[in-house]
Amino acid sequence: MAVDVAQLISASNELNSAIVLGRCWDHALEQLASAAGAKAVCFSRSTKTDLRMLPSKGLVEPYQDIRSRRTPPYSSKVLILDSKASGFVSDSEPHIRERLERESFFREFMKPIADVPYRASASLLGPSDITGLKLSFWRGSKEGPFDAQDVERLNSILPAIRASAQLAMFGFRQQAREQSVLFRQRGELMFELDFAGRPVEAGVQAIAAHGDPLSIVRGRLVCTAAAEQRRLESVIGRAVAPEPVAGSVRLTRQSDGAPFFLMVTPIHGEAVDIMAPVAAIGVLIDPATKSRTDPAALQHVRTAAGLTERETAIAGLISVGHAISAIARQIGVSDGTARNHLKSAMQKCGVHSQVELAALISRFS
């Protein structure tokens, strides 16, 4: 089946629009597969033993079988790219076919059950990244292999597809940065987790510097209280799963029994486990540590509500958990005077409780 270049360009433009507008990629993927005369197309990222995919319809069920481990073990030996490939590579070459036939994953699953024995793949991050982010077109036994002309036509849209992939990855990096900025401002220990649930390099250093109740053992996050390890692994596992869920767990500092809370929040979006540089954000919350007031947020509230300097200071301290008596001592006034300033600030802000005041200020952060 021939590759339709005009249809490929149209499908590539649709994919780029979906990324920019935050829409579902499904229709664009179907259009790409059709234009390539393929049964399916997918974006994928793999390691030696794990495979993550965003597939079109033709590969959805086979991918579910792979994730459910109802197939022979996946092996990176079924990859067809090499470090010299600058564009798409077809598996039609005899030496590649011979190698694939030696692999049970290909021989017993991809070929007879999934019916995707033929493939053309390209790295989206450059020729040296042969096990990283890839785009692959798959054909069944009826469609036959991709020939040299097919590969040439697929290569005509590769620069546009690579640009779209870079745009998607940039969006996920921005999302991770935005999710972490508020926690950094509050002074919490924050770290990023990869798709295996392991802290990335900067996180490893931050956790090691903080110490108890967390440590790093062989790249993994470990509780200093062994009894809490199973709950920790469960929360992390759910946050980096293909359908991620946020969670939290209570941890105990071994040195003095003080409680901490670890919150793990996944990064969300289309193709997140393929395109995103990190899977989730972990935040270690120490209840004994008072949060730091965001000066910019307070200034916005002061300007909008017309607060005085003292009302602003008291509202800020209330918003991060200080008691009114402690605030009074800190700023050198009586408890009654501090309460009057607080009451005035709440009236100007249109709230009826300290909790509502704190929530309002946090929304300006």
Side-chain angles (χ1 to χ4, degrees):
M1 298 183 69
V3 174
D4 186 325
V5 175
Q7 191 180 350
L8 274 178
I9 294 172
S10 176
S12 173
N13 291 337
E14 182 177 342
L15 175 66
N16 192 68
S17 295
I19 292 172
V20 171
L21 298 174
R23 294 176 178 169
C24 181
W25 299 10
D26 288 354
H27 189 263
L29 292 179
E30 294 303 320
Q31 293 299 103
L32 280 172
S34 175
K39 180 177 180 178
V41 63
C42 73
F43 288 95
S44 65
R45 186 185 292 275
S46 57
T47 65
K48 290 184 178 180
T49 58
D50 186 46
L51 175 66
R52 298 286 179 105
M53 299 173 68
L54 176 68
S56 62
K57 290 180 181 178
L59 276 176
V60 169
E61 289 189 13
Y63 182 52
Q64 290 173 345
D65 289 339
I66 295 169
R67 298 307 304 173
S68 302
R69 303 189 184 279
R70 295 193 293 265
T71 69
Y74 167 79
S75 167
S76 62
K77 292 181 181 179
V78 300
L79 299 177
I80 63 174
L81 291 175
D82 60 49
S83 59
K84 298 178 182 178
S86 59
F88 277 95
V89 171
S90 170
D91 61 4
S92 60
E93 294 294 326
H95 71 281
I96 296 180
R97 303 304 301 175
E98 291 174 6
R99 175 167 59 80
L100 290 174
E101 290 288 353
R102 292 195 294 268
E103 299 301 319
S104 61
F105 182 78
F106 176 83
R107 188 178 62 250
E108 299 173 17
F109 176 70
M110 290 174 61
K111 188 176 178 182
I113 297 176
D115 187 27
V116 283
Y118 301 110
R119 185 176 14 156
S121 296
S123 168
L124 296 183
L125 299 180
S128 61
D129 186 44
I130 62 174
T131 62
L133 180 61
K134 295 178 290 295
L135 175 65
S136 299
F137 292 91
W138 304 74
R139 284 178 174 173
S141 53
K142 291 183 179 180
E143 292 89 3
F146 292 87
D147 61 25
Q149 187 177 56
D150 291 332
V151 170
E152 181 180 356
R153 290 175 175 174
L154 292 177
N155 279 331
S156 69
I157 64 157
L158 187 54
I161 296 291
R162 282 175 169 164
S164 294
Q166 292 286 350
L167 180 62
M169 289 187 286
F170 174 78
F172 286 123
R173 281 195 295 269
Q174 286 295 101
Q175 184 184 151
R177 188 174 296 114
E178 289 169 4
Q179 283 188 208
S180 65
V181 66
L182 182 57
F183 297 116
R184 292 188 189 278
Q185 289 174 350
R186 292 175 178 172
E188 313 284 7
L189 171 64
M190 194 284 299
F191 51 89
E192 298 172 340
L193 298 167
D194 66 16
F195 286 92
R198 298 170 300 202
V200 301
E201 185 176 353
V204 170
Q205 298 170 358
I207 293 164
H210 185 279
D212 195 5
L214 291 173
S215 63
I216 302 293
V217 177
R218 294 191 292 275
R220 294 281 179 179
L221 201 57
V222 175
C223 299
T224 50
E228 298 167 344
Q229 186 64 29
R230 182 176 295 181
R231 294 196 299 273
L232 172 67
E233 292 175 355
S234 176
V235 166
I236 292 175
R238 291 196 300 270
V240 301
E243 296 182 3
V245 178
S248 56
V249 60
R250 185 185 188 277
L251 305 176
T252 305
R253 187 161 59 194
Q254 287 287 82
S255 60
D256 59 4
F260 283 75
F261 295 91
L262 177 66
M263 181 172 64
V264 185
T265 306
I267 304 298
H268 289 284
E270 191 80 2
V272 63
D273 56 344
I274 311 299
M275 300 287 185
V278 298
I281 304 294
V283 182
L284 186 65
I285 299 171
D286 180 359
T289 301
K290 299 295 183 183
S291 298
R292 291 185 291 199
T293 307
D294 181 355
L298 278 178
Q299 187 58 44
H300 284 305
V301 173
R302 178 181 181 179
T303 301
L307 303 185
T308 67
E309 182 177 351
R310 181 142 288 179
E311 289 167 353
T312 304
I314 291 174
L317 292 169
I318 285 290
S319 73
V320 293
H322 291 272
I324 193 68
S325 57
I327 294 173
R329 290 194 300 272
Q330 182 174 334
I331 64 176
V333 299
S334 68
D335 288 6
T337 299
R339 287 193 182 92
N340 287 336
H341 285 305
L342 175 59
K343 182 179 179 180
S344 176
M346 291 168 57
Q347 288 174 340
K348 291 178 180 179
C349 290
V351 299
H352 302 92
S353 70
Q354 295 180 21
V355 171
E356 290 180 359
L357 179 62
L360 175 65
I361 293 172
S362 70
R363 293 174 68 180
F364 280 86
S365 296

